[in-house]
């Protein structure tokens, strides 16, 4: 059976996918969105959520909860934008609800609290930092399923997400095939470069720009 896009992406890492995006002159790599506990890599399809400051005193449905409630597949990654510095966009109750719905993880361009509780249930959460300050009466959900800006990258519903200890990368669903094809060539070539260095070949020669140019040209030998 032909592997799915998600299966192929899961065999890669963020550095390799970032290199492929560089070669293709595509955006997607972010800076500063890292694991907030020692959580595993996550790979999935984006469910986007736009947050913003609360205006007025009218009670509202808690942010992100409608998105989690509507999820029906096991390939989703919650991607959240629009938080306020020092204010949490994520916590233990949302994490438990997401775990029940088989969400693969959460990426926040913002802050999370209850990190120990996320770790206890093995729920991956990536973001810019941790805090104890609640979102209640401070931050609300403005939209979901719409394009959002995440650490300077536009992310759309159903775009591809890969996050590991080096950070978080988004791949547009419009470009997933060419990015995966090139990333797999890069991974293959870099494995060969590691073997060459370990066998005694000069690292100056192995890491010369021409070696990377060969990857971009489609050479996989």
């Amino acid at each position: 059976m032909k592997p799915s896009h998600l299966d192929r992406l899961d065999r890669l890492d963020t550095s390799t996918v970032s290199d492929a995006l560089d070669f293709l002159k595509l955006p997607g790599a972010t800076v500063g969105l890292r694991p907030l506990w020692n959580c595993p890599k996550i790979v999935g399809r984006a469910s986007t959520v736009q947050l913003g400051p609360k205006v007025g005193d009218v009670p509202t449905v808690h942010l992100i909860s409608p998105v989690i409630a509507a999820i029906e597949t096991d390939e989703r990654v919650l991607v959240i934008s629009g938080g306020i510095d020092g204010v949490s966009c994520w916590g233990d109750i949302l994490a438990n609800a997401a775990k029940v719905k088989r969400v693969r993880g959460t990426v926040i361009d913002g802050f999370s609290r209850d990190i120990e509780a996320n770790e206890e249930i093995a729920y991956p959460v990536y973001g810019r930092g941790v805090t104890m300050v609640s979102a209640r009466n401070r931050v609300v959900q403005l939209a979901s399923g719409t394009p959002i800006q995440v650490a300077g990258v536009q992310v759309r519903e159903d775009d591809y997400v890969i996050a590991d200890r080096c950070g978080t990368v988004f791949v547009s669903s419009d470009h997933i095939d060419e990015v995966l094809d090139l990333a797999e060539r890069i991974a293959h070539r870099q494995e060969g470069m590691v073997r060459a260095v370990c066998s005694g070949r000069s690292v100056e020669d192995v890491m010369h720009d021409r070696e990377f140019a060969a990857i971009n040209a489609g050479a996989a030998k």
Side-chain angles (χ1 to χ4, degrees):
M1 180 182 296
K2 183 179 180 180
S4 69
H5 289 141
L6 287 178
D7 289 337
R8 294 171 66 190
L9 188 60
D10 192 41
R11 295 170 186 164
L12 301 167
D13 56 34
T14 55
S15 297
T16 305
V17 177
S18 176
D19 287 350
L21 292 169
D22 280 346
F23 276 130
L24 295 168
K25 296 182 171 53
L26 293 172
T30 67
V31 175
L33 304 184
R34 300 187 60 195
L36 298 184
W37 61 275
N38 188 27
C39 55
K41 178 174 74 172
I42 53 175
V43 170
R45 306 291 296 274
S47 288
T48 61
V49 185
Q50 180 67 53
L51 307 181
K54 182 174 182 179
V55 177
D57 298 323
V58 178
T60 61
V61 173
H62 193 67
L63 51 81
I64 310 167
S65 60
V67 179
I68 296 172
I71 287 174
E72 297 180 346
T73 67
D74 65 354
E75 62 180 18
R76 310 314 297 182
V77 173
L78 296 169
V79 182
I80 302 164
S81 181
I84 299 172
D85 279 357
V87 175
S88 174
C89 302
W90 188 258
D92 61 336
I93 299 174
L94 289 174
N96 277 274
K99 184 87 172 182
V100 169
K101 295 303 287 282
R102 298 182 299 164
V103 178
R104 297 188 177 198
T106 294
V107 176
I108 314 164
D109 191 0
F111 291 73
S112 175
R113 68 180 194 168
D114 303 326
I115 296 304
E116 292 88 350
N118 282 263
E119 184 174 8
E120 285 174 4
I121 64 170
Y123 184 84
V125 55
Y126 287 68
R128 288 196 283 115
V130 298
T131 182
M132 77 297 295
V133 179
S134 172
R136 194 172 296 278
N137 295 319
R138 295 185 175 94
V139 183
V140 295
Q141 180 178 317
L142 301 179
S144 64
T146 59
I148 59 175
Q149 290 290 319
V150 181
V153 174
Q154 185 184 72
V155 181
R156 300 178 304 171
E157 186 83 357
D158 293 328
D159 280 350
Y160 289 79
V161 185
I162 178 170
D164 59 24
R165 290 186 182 183
C166 285
T168 303
V169 178
F170 302 101
V171 181
S172 166
S173 56
D174 293 338
H175 298 287
I176 188 64
D177 286 303
E178 60 183 321
V179 171
L180 287 174
D181 288 346
L182 182 52
E184 287 165 349
R185 292 205 303 271
I186 291 170
H188 180 82
R189 176 55 70 96
Q190 290 184 335
E191 288 167 4
M193 293 166 78
V194 169
R195 289 195 298 272
V197 169
C198 291
S199 69
R201 186 178 167 195
S202 167
V203 68
E204 286 184 290
D205 185 37
V206 170
M207 294 198 70
H208 195 281
D209 282 349
R210 64 176 171 266
E211 297 293 333
F212 290 90
I215 297 171
N216 197 28
K221 298 180 181 179

